[in-house]
Amino acid sequence: MKKELKRKAIIGGSLSLSALLFACGGGGGGGDTTTGVTPYATVSGTVSASSNTAAGVVSAAGINVNGVDVAYIAAMGIENGKLVYTADDIDSNGNFDLNLKTGLDYAFILFDSSRNPVFFVNGTTGNAISVNSSGSVTITLVDTNGDGTPDAAQVAQTQGSVSVVSNPDLEDDPNDPDYYPESIEGIDYGGSPNPDYDEDGDGYFDGVEDNDNDNYVDGKEDSNNNGIPDVYEDEDSDGLPNYLDDSDGDGYYDHIDEDDSDYYRYEMKGNVSNIDTTNYTFDFTYNNTTYTVSVTPQTVCEIYDAYYTGYECINRIKDNDYIELKTSDDINATTNITAVKFELENYDDDDNYTYNTRYEVYGTVTEIDTGTQSFQFYYNNRYYTVTVDNNTKCEYNDMYYYGADCLMYLSPGNYIELKTYDNIFEYTEITAVEIEKKKFEIYGMISAYDDTNNTITFRWNNTDYTGLITETTKCEINDRYYYGADCFTAMTTGAYYEIKTYDNIYDGNTDTITIYELELED
């Protein structure tokens, strides 16, 4: 990979990149942080229907009035230009409670059981709720046109130090009635291409999602019960919540910086097919097995050195792309897996070519046919016919060759690294992009040599082998260099030599190798 420093988002637990900025002081009063005084307050409340609306029907999802159901509530504010929020589900009695930072104004938004916004909550004296300490409010669904169906939500303070105020920064533009304040829709500090209220880009407000399936909305998570949502703890006490930390100062927040915190068990390379942008899945072929891969809001992808999260990832790939995929699922037990991360790269570095799909495999050359400019290649218990064309590049003994010249210096038994565009899991006839001979270095004792047939007999690993000396073999004996047949003039038996070969002597399938370098060891 050209770029050494990779980026990724932290996976695992509840991670909503744009949620409540609890730990950032200043702005809007900031709250009193002196001993014994908490900068956070609990605002509880109840949602009910007004008398001029059909009676509210209590349901497991919250409150339902004439088909309009209300299941979640969120409070959104702005501090130092950054989004702060929290959320809660509305219980079967219409009750909720929100943990808010004091000294800020919040817009309240109601969501249905499908997590779609349905009401922007206003009061008779303003559009926002100002929080100075704990208190309670009532939210009433009202029917302004008398058709029996609620079409507005109004809030009123019932007790404590909360009040309804007017805040122009938290208004919902009547010409764009999407229930989100316009100023909040434009905030993007979270490190992804998406606005902070929908960091994963799935079209839903992050705070009312439950991405870790623990039955708590992500804007409510507080595993240590200290009143601060988990992902906004200030663990290093630097005055910034964790999601705004940049500990190495590289311009990337730590939550998208490279570390060892992405929890995956398997890392594979394979081809993409059958992309389903409706169900957010694609097929992935690896090692002759096709997996159905699900993309979730927590999935992170790196596409040509750009980073995306969630469902946006599936829009960034196409059929036949060759990707590196990471998953925490057991690929030996199931073919339905979830992507933790996947990566699609451009290879445009020192190799002087650019492409986005390739395989890199290691195997043995078994036959060479210079007439068809091809050779037989054995990999993973399978034989391939590999064609060499004018674009093929080869590296042998630190020398580079191209096209048909690659075959001149290739021999049966050579163990090579082969790179190809072609899908080796579908085809056995492929074209080589790059070939590199792999070197093996061993130490053995020469017991005999035959200068007529240009061979030596040596013992290594308790086995006798025959070594072929060619005209290009280089020998270093007693600090002098010899080549080819001249090696025999200085060679002695009973001595240990360092023997270098391109043939795979470790696989146990051959007792004869070609030697490209021989050195007498002291």
Side-chain angles (χ1 to χ4, degrees):
M1 181 180 179
K2 181 180 179 181
K3 185 178 61 177
E4 294 299 326
L5 180 61
K6 296 182 180 178
R7 311 278 175 199
K8 61 171 169 279
I10 297 175
I11 306 299
S14 172
L15 179 58
S16 179
L17 302 183
S18 58
L20 180 57
L21 182 62
F22 275 128
C24 187
D32 189 347
T33 58
T34 57
T35 303
V37 180
T38 176
Y40 309 108
T42 298
V43 176
S44 59
T46 302
V47 179
S48 61
S50 67
S51 58
N52 67 327
T53 301
V57 179
V58 174
S59 67
I63 185 169
N64 186 299
V65 180
N66 277 12
V68 177
D69 74 279
V70 177
Y72 306 98
I73 184 170
M76 296 185 181
I78 301 174
E79 183 178 37
N80 295 331
K82 300 178 178 63
L83 172 64
V84 298
Y85 71 68
T86 189
D88 193 17
D89 53 359
I90 299 170
D91 69 17
S92 59
N93 295 313
N95 298 323
F96 63 87
D97 62 82
L98 300 168
N99 197 337
L100 305 178
K101 188 172 183 181
T102 58
L104 294 179
D105 297 344
Y106 292 89
F108 279 19
I109 302 171
L110 301 179
F111 296 79
D112 63 18
S113 56
S114 297
R115 294 181 168 84
N116 295 308
V118 289
F119 293 111
F120 182 91
V121 181
N122 281 292
T124 57
T125 59
N127 64 309
I129 292 85
S130 181
V131 179
N132 294 311
S133 65
S134 296
S136 61
V137 297
T138 58
I139 296 176
T140 304
L141 305 183
V142 297
D143 173 17
T144 61
N145 59 14
D147 64 356
T149 300
D151 50 36
Q154 293 181 350
V155 64
Q157 179 262 359
T158 54
Q159 65 178 16
S161 187
V162 297
S163 57
V164 179
V165 298
S166 293
N167 188 325
D169 290 334
L170 297 177
E171 290 180 349
D172 180 29
D173 186 352
N175 297 318
D176 179 26
D178 58 0
Y179 308 108
Y180 293 111
E182 308 311 304
S183 56
I184 283 178
E185 290 183 284
I187 296 176
D188 185 10
Y189 279 86
S192 88
N194 307 306
D196 284 359
Y197 75 94
D198 180 20
E199 189 76 33
D200 54 18
D202 63 355
Y204 296 97
F205 169 51
D206 293 338
V208 297
E209 294 185 291
D210 180 19
N211 288 319
D212 55 1
N213 298 312
D214 64 352
N215 295 318
Y216 290 95
V217 292
D218 292 345
K220 185 74 171 179
E221 298 273 4
D222 181 18
S223 59
N224 60 3
N225 296 314
N226 67 345
I228 306 174
D230 295 342
V231 294
Y232 301 97
E233 299 277 8
D234 183 14
E235 295 176 351
D236 56 6
S237 300
D238 64 352
L240 292 174
N242 295 342
Y243 94 108
L244 289 181
D245 283 337
D246 177 18
S247 57
D248 57 8
D250 63 355
Y252 292 89
Y253 297 128
D254 291 346
H255 70 260
I256 60 171
D257 219 352
E258 178 76 13
D259 55 28
D260 295 322
S261 58
D262 59 342
Y263 305 117
Y264 63 90
R265 298 171 60 188
Y266 296 93
E267 180 176 316
M268 308 169 286
K269 291 184 178 181
N271 277 84
V272 171
S273 61
N274 298 324
I275 299 171
D276 185 344
T277 56
T278 300
N279 296 307
Y280 306 109
T281 63
F282 61 88
D283 287 348
F284 175 77
T285 302
Y286 165 73
N287 201 21
N288 293 323
T289 301
T290 298
Y291 297 85
T292 299
V293 180
S294 296
V295 173
T296 72
Q298 283 76 42
T299 299
V300 178
C301 58
E302 180 181 348
I303 310 296
Y304 302 143
D305 297 335
Y307 297 87
Y308 305 91
T309 58
Y311 300 132
E312 179 63 22
C313 289
I314 206 163
N315 297 320
R316 300 289 172 171
I317 55 176
K318 62 183 183 299
D319 285 348
N320 297 318
D321 275 348
Y322 184 66
I323 64 172
E324 179 182 77
L325 174 72
K326 297 177 180 179
T327 181
S328 59
D329 298 316
D330 187 350
I331 62 173
N332 299 309
T334 180
T335 57
N336 294 310
I337 60 178
T338 298
V340 171
K341 179 180 180 179
F342 60 84
E343 183 175 345
L344 175 63
E345 294 182 340
N346 260 332
Y347 294 86
D348 56 358
D349 48 16
D350 295 337
D351 295 327
N352 296 321
Y353 52 82
T354 301
Y355 51 92
N356 60 20
T357 60
R358 75 172 180 180
Y359 292 82
E360 300 178 12
V361 293
Y362 295 84
T364 303
V365 176
T366 60
E367 297 179 26
I368 298 174
D369 186 345
T370 56
T372 60
Q373 290 192 188
S374 66
F375 62 90
Q376 295 295 306
F377 176 72
Y378 184 71
Y379 161 73
N380 199 24
N381 298 318
R382 195 177 188 185
Y383 286 94
Y384 296 83
T385 298
V386 182
T387 298
V388 173
D389 63 20
N390 292 334
N391 296 315
T392 302
K393 173 185 175 182
C394 307
E395 181 181 354
Y396 305 149
N397 200 20
D398 298 325
M399 297 290 291
Y400 293 95
Y401 305 89
Y402 295 88
D405 288 347
C406 291
L407 299 180
M408 294 175 56
Y409 301 95
L410 201 62
S411 303
N414 285 168
Y415 188 70
I416 64 171
E417 178 186 14
L418 174 69
K419 299 178 183 179
T420 180
Y421 294 111
D422 301 316
N423 188 339
I424 62 172
F425 299 117
E426 293 186 9
Y427 309 108
T428 57
E429 295 184 358
I430 60 179
T431 300
V433 173
E434 271 196 47
I435 301 169
E436 181 179 352
K437 285 186 181 180
K438 307 311 291 182
K439 302 174 183 178
F440 296 90
E441 300 180 5
I442 59 174
Y443 293 88
M445 185 185 72
I446 294 180
S447 58
Y449 61 84
D450 182 348
D451 56 5
T452 301
N453 294 308
N454 293 329
T455 63
I456 64 171
T457 301
F458 68 94
R459 190 167 184 80
W460 172 75
N461 200 23
N462 296 319
T463 302
D464 288 324
Y465 291 87
T466 298
L468 303 178
I469 303 296
T470 71
E471 62 181 10
T472 60
T473 300
K474 174 184 175 182
C475 302
E476 181 181 352
I477 302 174
N478 297 325
D479 296 326
R480 295 189 62 181
Y481 292 95
Y482 305 86
Y483 293 88
D486 288 343
C487 292
F488 295 106
T489 62
M491 193 177 297
T492 58
T493 59
Y496 277 91
Y497 288 76
E498 180 182 21
I499 301 169
K500 299 180 182 180
T501 180
Y502 289 115
D503 299 328
N504 188 358
I505 198 170
Y506 291 95
D507 64 5
N509 293 327
T510 182
D511 58 6
T512 301
I513 64 171
T514 299
I515 298 172
Y516 76 84
E517 193 168 325
L518 191 70
E519 182 179 351
L520 176 63
E521 293 293 299
D522 292 334

